[in-house]
Protein backbone atom coordinates (compact mmCIF):
# COMPACT_ATOMS: atom_id res chain seq x y z
CA UNK A 1 0.00 0.00 0.00
CA UNK A 2 1.35 3.39 -0.97
CA UNK A 3 1.04 5.86 1.91
CA UNK A 4 -0.55 9.19 0.98
CA UNK A 5 -1.25 10.98 4.23
CA UNK A 6 -4.38 13.05 4.48
CA UNK A 7 -3.72 16.78 4.76
CA UNK A 8 -5.41 16.75 8.17
CA UNK A 9 -3.92 14.50 10.89
CA UNK A 10 -6.04 11.35 10.88
CA UNK A 11 -6.24 8.22 13.02
CA UNK A 12 -7.89 4.97 12.01
CA UNK A 13 -9.59 2.33 14.09
CA UNK A 14 -10.85 -1.02 12.70
CA UNK A 15 -13.11 -2.56 15.31
CA UNK A 16 -16.65 -3.37 16.37
CA UNK A 17 -19.04 -1.79 18.84
CA UNK A 18 -18.39 -4.55 21.39
CA UNK A 19 -17.63 -3.00 24.79
CA UNK A 20 -14.32 -4.88 24.99
CA UNK A 21 -13.03 -2.97 21.94
CA UNK A 22 -13.21 0.23 24.02
CA UNK A 23 -14.45 2.63 21.37
CA UNK A 24 -15.83 4.80 24.19
CA UNK A 25 -12.32 5.74 25.37
CA UNK A 26 -11.32 6.69 21.82
CA UNK A 27 -14.43 8.84 21.46
CA UNK A 28 -13.76 10.53 24.81
CA UNK A 29 -10.14 11.27 23.81
CA UNK A 30 -10.97 12.64 20.36
CA UNK A 31 -13.80 14.75 21.83
CA UNK A 32 -11.27 16.71 23.86
CA UNK A 33 -10.23 20.14 22.60
CA UNK A 34 -6.57 19.03 22.27
CA UNK A 35 -7.53 16.49 19.57
CA UNK A 36 -10.31 18.33 17.75
CA UNK A 37 -7.85 19.02 14.89
CA UNK A 38 -7.26 15.25 14.45
CA UNK A 39 -9.86 13.16 12.63
CA UNK A 40 -10.78 9.70 13.92
CA UNK A 41 -12.29 7.26 11.43
CA UNK A 42 -13.83 4.16 13.00
CA UNK A 43 -14.59 1.29 10.62
CA UNK A 44 -16.87 -1.45 11.88
CA UNK A 45 -19.12 0.76 14.03
CA UNK A 46 -22.36 2.07 12.55
CA UNK A 47 -23.14 5.78 12.50
CA UNK A 48 -25.45 6.73 15.37
CA UNK A 49 -24.18 3.98 17.69
CA UNK A 50 -22.72 6.54 20.10
CA UNK A 51 -25.20 9.35 19.56
CA UNK A 52 -24.11 12.85 18.55
CA UNK A 53 -20.36 13.08 18.02
CA UNK A 54 -17.97 15.97 17.28
CA UNK A 55 -17.21 16.58 13.60
CA UNK A 56 -13.72 15.07 13.90
CA UNK A 57 -15.11 11.60 14.78
CA UNK A 58 -16.62 9.60 11.93
CA UNK A 59 -18.21 6.20 12.39
CA UNK A 60 -17.97 4.48 9.01
CA UNK A 61 -19.93 1.28 9.58
CA UNK A 62 -18.94 -1.88 7.74
CA UNK A 63 -16.51 -1.27 4.87
CA UNK A 64 -15.24 -3.38 1.99
CA UNK A 65 -11.54 -4.32 1.94
CA UNK A 66 -10.73 -1.73 -0.78
CA UNK A 67 -12.38 1.01 1.25
CA UNK A 68 -10.39 0.07 4.34
CA UNK A 69 -7.18 0.13 2.30
CA UNK A 70 -7.99 3.67 1.17
CA UNK A 71 -8.42 4.86 4.74
CA UNK A 72 -5.23 3.11 5.88
CA UNK A 73 -3.27 4.77 3.05
CA UNK A 74 -4.25 8.20 4.32
CA UNK A 75 -4.13 7.64 8.09
CA UNK A 76 -1.35 9.12 10.16
CA UNK A 77 -1.74 6.48 12.90
CA UNK A 78 -3.75 3.45 13.96
CA UNK A 79 -5.33 3.15 17.40
CA UNK A 80 -6.47 0.03 19.24
CA UNK A 81 -7.27 0.80 22.92
CA UNK A 82 -8.84 -2.63 23.52
CA UNK A 83 -9.71 -3.80 27.03
CA UNK A 84 -8.60 -7.33 26.07
CA UNK A 85 -7.39 -8.69 22.74
CA UNK A 86 -4.97 -11.56 22.18
CA UNK A 87 -3.59 -10.71 18.75
CA UNK A 88 -5.72 -8.32 16.76
CA UNK A 89 -5.40 -8.78 13.00
CA UNK A 90 -6.21 -5.11 12.44
CA UNK A 91 -3.02 -4.07 14.26
CA UNK A 92 -0.97 -6.54 12.21
CA UNK A 93 -2.44 -5.10 9.01
CA UNK A 94 -1.78 -1.53 10.13
CA UNK A 95 1.86 -2.38 10.92
CA UNK A 96 2.29 -4.09 7.56
CA UNK A 97 0.98 -0.96 5.82
CA UNK A 98 3.45 1.21 7.72
CA UNK A 99 1.19 2.91 10.25
CA UNK A 100 2.45 3.75 13.71
CA UNK A 101 0.18 1.95 16.20
CA UNK A 102 -1.17 3.07 19.54
CA UNK A 103 -2.28 -0.05 21.40
CA UNK A 104 -3.31 -0.89 24.94
CA UNK A 105 -1.40 -2.80 27.58
CA UNK A 106 -4.19 -5.40 27.34
CA UNK A 107 -3.55 -6.08 23.68
CA UNK A 108 -1.36 -8.94 22.46
CA UNK A 109 0.03 -6.68 19.75
CA UNK A 110 1.82 -4.64 22.43
CA UNK A 111 4.79 -6.97 22.09
CA UNK A 112 5.37 -5.64 18.59
CA UNK A 113 5.13 -1.93 19.35
CA UNK A 114 8.34 -0.21 20.37
CA UNK A 115 7.17 2.86 22.31
CA UNK A 116 8.34 6.11 20.78
CA UNK A 117 9.71 4.41 17.67
CA UNK A 118 6.79 2.47 16.15
CA UNK A 119 3.90 3.82 18.21
CA UNK A 120 2.84 3.79 21.85
CA UNK A 121 1.43 1.44 24.48
CA UNK A 122 -1.23 2.95 26.74
CA UNK A 123 -3.47 1.85 29.61
CA UNK A 124 -6.76 1.01 27.85
CA UNK A 125 -8.99 3.48 29.71
CA UNK A 126 -6.43 6.22 30.29
CA UNK A 127 -7.76 9.00 28.09
CA UNK A 128 -4.83 11.30 28.89
CA UNK A 129 -2.31 8.70 27.70
CA UNK A 130 -4.26 8.22 24.47
CA UNK A 131 -4.44 11.97 23.87
CA UNK A 132 -0.69 12.37 24.51
CA UNK A 133 0.20 9.45 22.21
CA UNK A 134 -1.99 10.76 19.39
CA UNK A 135 -0.53 14.26 19.77
CA UNK A 136 2.99 12.85 19.57
CA UNK A 137 2.36 10.70 16.48
CA UNK A 138 0.39 13.43 14.68
CA UNK A 139 2.78 16.26 15.58
CA UNK A 140 3.75 16.41 11.91
CA UNK A 141 3.62 14.20 8.83
CA UNK A 142 7.32 13.32 9.01
CA UNK A 143 6.93 11.94 12.55
CA UNK A 144 3.98 9.77 11.50
CA UNK A 145 5.79 8.51 8.39
CA UNK A 146 9.06 7.85 10.23
CA UNK A 147 7.35 5.86 13.00
CA UNK A 148 5.38 3.85 10.46
CA UNK A 149 8.48 3.25 8.33
CA UNK A 150 10.41 2.00 11.36
CA UNK A 151 7.86 -0.70 12.04
CA UNK A 152 7.32 -1.48 8.36
CA UNK A 153 11.01 -2.24 7.92
CA UNK A 154 10.93 -4.42 11.03
CA UNK A 155 7.88 -6.28 9.66
CA UNK A 156 9.57 -6.83 6.31
CA UNK A 157 12.58 -8.35 8.05
CA UNK A 158 10.68 -10.44 10.61
CA UNK A 159 8.27 -11.80 7.99
CA UNK A 160 10.82 -12.36 5.23
CA UNK A 161 10.90 -15.80 3.64
CA UNK A 162 14.38 -16.48 5.05
CA UNK A 163 13.49 -15.59 8.63
CA UNK A 164 10.18 -17.49 8.48
CA UNK A 165 11.91 -20.55 6.96
CA UNK A 166 14.54 -20.52 9.71
CA UNK A 167 11.88 -20.22 12.44
CA UNK A 168 9.77 -23.05 11.01
CA UNK A 169 12.83 -25.30 10.65
CA UNK A 170 13.79 -24.51 14.25
CA UNK A 171 10.31 -25.43 15.52
CA UNK A 172 10.30 -28.71 13.59
CA UNK A 173 13.85 -29.42 14.78
CA UNK A 174 12.74 -29.04 18.41
CA UNK A 175 9.73 -31.30 17.81
CA UNK A 176 11.90 -33.98 16.19
CA UNK A 177 14.38 -33.89 19.08
CA UNK A 178 11.57 -34.62 21.52
Amino acid sequence: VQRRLASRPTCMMLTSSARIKNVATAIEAFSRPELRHVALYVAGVSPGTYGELPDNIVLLGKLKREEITGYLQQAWAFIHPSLADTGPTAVKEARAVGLPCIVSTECGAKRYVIPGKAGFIIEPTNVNQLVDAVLCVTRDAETALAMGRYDYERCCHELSATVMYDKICSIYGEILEQ
Side-chain angles (χ1 to χ4, degrees), residues 123-134:
E123 295 295 325
T125 58
N126 190 319
V127 176
N128 292 329
Q129 284 182 359
L130 181 54
V131 168
D132 290 345
V134 169

Side-chain angles (χ1 to χ4, degrees), residues 2 7 21 24 33 37 43-44 60 64-65 70 74 77 82 94 109 111 117-118 131 133 138 142 145 151 154 159 162:
Q2 290 287 70
S7 57
K21 297 299 184 177
H37 69 287
L60 300 167
K64 294 180 180 173
R65 175 62 55 190
Q74 295 181 31
S82 179
R111 68 183 193 172
K117 293 189 181 270
V131 168
T138 62
E142 266 316 302
L145 289 169
D151 208 30
R154 247 179 8 125
L159 300 174
T162 303

